[in-house]
Amino acid sequence: MNASEPEARLSVSAALREQGEKVADRWVQLQLERAVLGAGLTEAELREEADAFVDALRTGLETEQPVERVATTHPELRQAITDLSLRRARGGATPTATSLAVLALKEALLEAVQTQAQDTQALYHAAVFVNRLLDTAGALSFATYVEGREEIIRRQSRQLLEISTPVVRLWDRVLAVPLIGSLDTTRTQVVMENLLQAIERDEAQVAIIDITGVPTVDTAVAHHLMQTVNAVRLMGTDCVISGIRPPIAQIIAQLGIDLSAILTRATLADALAAAISLTDRPNRAADPAGLR
């Protein structure tokens, strides 16, 4: 540790303790002047955020942690940085703007330290200390922002998948999933989860998987379909695949994919007719494999 670091730490801590409110006010002002937000935050929200951040910074410096570890190890300060970053990530601010919001605190804090520094050398050491402290905070805010945005993107992607794969009730105890576009592992998982939940909720006897909107069928797509069909059957529900157009039928035959154990129909209307027949059978348990 540099011999001047303890004095610099004391100087910065004193500035936060004695001028904390002024530092928070100045930080809010700098953010508003430089328009580094883009997150829809009001001035009152900024002030509340700044008060919490500055207070956490002060208590963090009162610990014995090295300056480079204060932001990452002090629980209150780490939480304040996390809250700031995630709030901006959800509001649509850029990662650069988020980091600049944290780094703007440097100027506000240095202005407060300057009023307490005894000489130029002391001010220099305090400035170096502030840079080391808030550079770490800025890096943490950037990393937290990126993680937050990735989580938001994952959640939005899943929501889009769920919207694009609705489970529709066509008849009493008959459900259908109209698939449009490509079918990959992630989408298959969403389809399976939504369909199984709907089967349990509606006590469905037949589930129709319509692939009219699927442009092509290869081995991977067929494998995904088989997984879904098997999961549906484990729920005690019959499964019908519709939308087997002539080109799709040719591809399936050429690939040697065996769908003989699955009830298939050319159109959704044909599949619905078959499903109604299945639900009208007096003894479904005698023929659980489906209508042939």
Side-chain angles (χ1 to χ4, degrees):
M1 180 186 296
N2 191 302
S4 60
E5 184 172 317
E7 289 78 9
R9 190 180 193 123
L10 288 174
S11 177
V12 175
S13 295
L16 288 169
R17 185 171 56 254
E18 299 170 11
Q19 303 182 60
E21 186 174 345
K22 181 179 178 181
V23 171
D25 284 340
R26 179 58 175 157
W27 186 24
V28 171
Q29 180 186 1
L30 288 171
Q31 292 182 79
L32 293 173
E33 288 177 355
R34 297 172 184 178
V36 297
L37 300 178
L41 296 175
T42 65
E43 185 172 348
E45 290 172 330
L46 276 178
R47 179 53 198 260
E48 182 180 355
E49 179 182 80
D51 287 340
F53 198 108
V54 170
D55 187 61
L57 193 62
R58 176 185 57 77
T59 58
L61 287 179
E62 291 173 355
T63 67
E64 297 181 356
Q65 291 292 340
V67 60
E68 289 85 0
R69 298 183 58 191
V70 172
T72 57
T73 59
H74 184 59
E76 292 179 11
L77 181 55
R78 186 180 181 90
Q79 187 62 50
I81 295 171
T82 299
D83 291 344
L84 179 149
S85 302
L86 293 181
R87 189 177 295 113
R88 282 159 173 73
R90 297 187 186 105
T94 66
T96 300
T98 302
S99 294
L100 288 175
V102 176
L103 297 179
L105 180 56
K106 280 186 181 182
E107 185 173 335
L109 184 52
L110 284 173
E111 288 177 3
V113 171
Q114 188 174 11
T115 63
Q116 300 194 185
Q118 297 178 353
D119 52 47
T120 304
Q121 186 175 17
L123 179 60
Y124 167 78
H125 291 307
V128 171
F129 184 88
V130 169
N131 280 326
R132 292 166 62 193
L133 174 65
L134 293 182
D135 282 349
T136 305
L140 177 58
S141 73
F142 184 88
T144 304
Y145 174 97
V146 171
E147 292 174 3
R149 287 299 297 171
E150 289 177 349
E151 176 57 31
I152 291 171
I153 291 170
R154 285 193 295 269
R155 185 168 63 249
Q156 291 175 339
S157 296
R158 183 175 180 84
Q159 289 171 346
L160 288 173
L161 283 175
E162 291 177 349
I163 292 172
S164 66
T165 54
V167 180
V168 182
R169 183 177 179 181
L170 296 181
W171 200 261
D172 182 32
R173 299 196 176 186
V174 177
L175 301 176
V177 182
L179 298 178
I180 299 175
S182 59
L183 192 64
D184 56 19
T185 302
T186 302
R187 192 176 183 200
T188 301
Q189 186 64 33
V190 173
V191 170
M192 191 182 302
E193 290 176 3
N194 291 348
L195 181 55
L196 295 181
Q197 290 173 5
I199 288 172
E200 181 181 25
R201 182 184 65 246
D202 296 346
E203 298 181 351
Q205 294 179 356
V206 184
I208 300 172
I209 300 176
D210 183 68
I211 62 171
T212 303
V214 176
T216 187
V217 173
D218 55 18
T219 305
V221 171
H223 175 69
H224 294 321
L225 288 173
M226 290 298 296
Q227 281 185 321
T228 304
V229 170
N230 290 336
V232 169
R233 285 178 171 175
L234 286 174
M235 295 284 290
T237 301
D238 290 319
C239 193
V240 184
I241 296 180
S242 64
I244 308 293
R245 307 182 306 282
I248 298 295
Q250 290 179 2
I251 294 174
I252 291 175
Q254 292 170 0
L255 293 174
I257 300 171
D258 184 13
L259 298 181
S260 60
I262 303 174
L263 178 59
T264 61
R265 289 294 184 267
T267 67
L268 181 57
D270 292 338
L272 177 57
I276 293 173
S277 298
L278 286 170
T279 58
D280 286 344
R281 281 185 300 168
N283 186 8
R284 297 179 70 251
D287 183 18
L291 182 65
R292 298 290 178 226

